[in-house]
């Protein structure tokens, strides 16, 4: 198996949940040195759990979620799905992710996802893709990480299954000033994922949490750099059109507002041929290490 195939298989081992009982699924966390589970993993697994209970032919069109507690990477995650609604063309699911803490189950994550059978549209439009260098013209995340040691280690670890080609060095970016506050990076899952729209959506959800909160620091520059710590508070994704997460896509992020320790961050995702396929939103907590 090639290196890319190994990475895709590693992500599939995260997304391939065990059904413990009807509408209850268990997800595993890869071995990690991090003290808490990467949020994109929990969101992707929760979406997979919801997808497993939905009638065939209905793809997710939106999800809205909250990170309630840090996930413990040494404890299994249990996802309980509530079947809220199955209509003629829409299905809605609520998912609660729990872990055992001191002998009791506690909720660490909550997600609501809506699925649609699809239908002809009377309107069709989208944002044009920004004109940026193509991924083969850019350095990889590993190239940028060289020389940054422990500072770069967490970013490399949580993105082991994902290729990244950022336009600027994410470990030492210059401050951005309005109106040019957007950041851009190309992503793809390394290797080949199954031809399953539910898997592709869960994989995109996983990737969408990798760099979004960094948009909140774009105007101060320097990246996380040991000066700040952050945590996702919520996460939403709207899926507009079919895509593959294992093919290059451009992720543009920006933060229109930040105050009282919280930054609101938006993201837009385009395929390499310029189709706007998803929009992402997240509010995150950002603190200086002195707090």
């Amino acid at each position: 198996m090639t290196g890319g195939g190994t990475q895709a298989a590693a992500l599939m081992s995260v997304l391939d949940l065990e059904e413990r009982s009807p509408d209850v699924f268990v997800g595993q966390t890869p071995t990690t040195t991090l003290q808490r589970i990467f949020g994109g993993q929990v969101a992707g697994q929760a979406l997979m759990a919801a997808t497993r209970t939905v009638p065939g032919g209905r793809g997710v069109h939106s999800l809205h979620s909250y990170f309630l507690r840090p996930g413990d990477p040494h404890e299994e995650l249990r996802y309980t799905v509530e079947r809220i609604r199955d209509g003629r063309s829409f299905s809605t699911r609520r998912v609660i992710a729990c872990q055992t803490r001191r002998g009791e189950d506690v909720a660490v994550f909550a997600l609501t996802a809506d699925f649609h059978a699809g239908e002809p549209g009377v309107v069709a439009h989208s944002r044009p893709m920004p004109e940026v260098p193509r991924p083969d013209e850019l350095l990889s995340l590993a190239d940028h990480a060289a020389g940054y040691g422990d500072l770069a280690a967490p970013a490399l670890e949580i993105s082991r299954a994902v290729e990244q080609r950022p336009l600027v060095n994410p470990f030492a970016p210059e401050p951005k000033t309005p109106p040019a506050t957007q950041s851009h990076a190309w992503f793809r899952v390394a290797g080949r994922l199954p031809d399953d729209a539910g898997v592709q959506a869960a994989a995109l959800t996983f990737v969408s949490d990798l760099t979004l909160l960094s948009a909140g620091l774009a105007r101060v520059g320097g990246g996380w750099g040991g000066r700040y710590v952050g945590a996702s508070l919520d996460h939403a994704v709207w899926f507009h059109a079919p895509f593959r997460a294992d093919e290059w896509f451009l992720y543009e992020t920006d933060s229109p507002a930040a105050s009282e320790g919280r930054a609101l961050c938006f993201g837009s995702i385009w395929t390499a041929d310029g189709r706007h396929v998803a929009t992402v939103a997240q509010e995150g907590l950002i603190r200086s290490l002195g707090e």
Side-chain angles (χ1 to χ4, degrees), residues 163-217:
E163 293 184 71
Q164 297 187 42
R165 299 290 175 90
L167 268 66
V168 301
N169 188 340
F171 305 109
E174 294 294 325
K176 294 180 178 292
T177 56
T181 55
Q182 302 87 0
S183 298
H184 300 88
W186 291 93
F187 292 86
R188 68 178 175 187
V189 174
R192 196 70 174 173
L193 294 171
D195 298 330
D196 182 300
V199 170
Q200 299 288 340
L204 190 74
T205 300
F206 177 98
V207 176
S208 69
D209 191 39
L210 283 173
T211 60
L212 187 54
L213 189 53
S214 297
L217 290 178

Side-chain angles (χ1 to χ4, degrees), residues 238-255:
W238 293 265
F239 302 89
H240 311 311
F243 59 87
R244 292 194 67 95
D246 52 9
E247 297 178 353
W248 286 116
F249 58 87
L250 179 68
Y251 197 11
E252 177 186 87
T253 60
D254 197 3
S255 177

Side-chain angles (χ1 to χ4, degrees), residues 38-283:
F38 168 54
Q41 173 194 319
V42 186
Q45 287 181 331
L47 179 58
M48 279 302 302
T51 301
R52 294 269 292 270
T53 71
V54 173
R58 298 187 180 191
V60 62
H61 71 85
S62 69
L63 65 86
H64 303 264
S65 61
Y66 284 91
F67 297 94
L68 306 176
R69 293 180 176 88
D72 184 344
H74 305 294
E75 293 286 341
E76 69 176 18
L77 284 154
R78 292 178 298 282
Y79 298 91
T80 300
V81 181
E82 184 178 356
R83 303 183 185 225
I84 303 297
R85 173 178 182 253
D86 281 312
R88 289 188 298 176
S89 57
F90 285 90
S91 292
T92 306
R93 297 292 185 266
R94 180 182 296 129
V95 184
I96 302 296
C98 292
Q99 288 189 306
T100 301
R101 305 282 171 85
R102 298 178 181 176
E104 295 184 1
D105 280 353
V106 297
V108 299
F109 181 78
L111 171 142
T112 300
D114 207 47
F115 299 78
H116 184 212
E119 57 192 72
V122 296
V123 294
H125 57 262
S126 65
R127 290 183 58 203
M129 184 172 72
E131 294 185 9
V132 299
R134 307 301 285 184
D136 58 2
E137 303 173 36
L138 299 167
L139 296 176
S140 69
L141 184 67
D143 292 329
H144 284 295
Y148 286 91
D150 292 343
L151 174 63
L156 293 174
E157 181 161 347
I158 63 176
S159 59
R160 284 178 293 186
V162 181
E163 293 184 71
Q164 297 187 42
R165 299 290 175 90
L167 268 66
V168 301
N169 188 340
F171 305 109
E174 294 294 325
K176 294 180 178 292
T177 56
T181 55
Q182 302 87 0
S183 298
H184 300 88
W186 291 93
F187 292 86
R188 68 178 175 187
V189 174
R192 196 70 174 173
L193 294 171
D195 298 330
D196 182 300
V199 170
Q200 299 288 340
L204 190 74
T205 300
F206 177 98
V207 176
S208 69
D209 191 39
L210 283 173
T211 60
L212 187 54
L213 189 53
S214 297
L217 290 178
R219 302 189 192 204
V220 299
W224 297 102
R227 299 167 52 197
Y228 305 99
V229 292
S232 305
L233 298 176
D234 58 17
H235 196 78
V237 185
W238 293 265
F239 302 89
H240 311 311
F243 59 87
R244 292 194 67 95
D246 52 9
E247 297 178 353
W248 286 116
F249 58 87
L250 179 68
Y251 197 11
E252 177 186 87
T253 60
D254 197 3
S255 177
S259 64
E260 301 188 4
R262 302 185 310 274
L264 178 64
C265 304
F266 289 142
S268 294
I269 294 174
W270 290 267
T271 57
D273 60 0
R275 293 182 300 113
H276 185 199
V277 294
T279 300
V280 188
Q282 181 180 101
E283 188 176 43

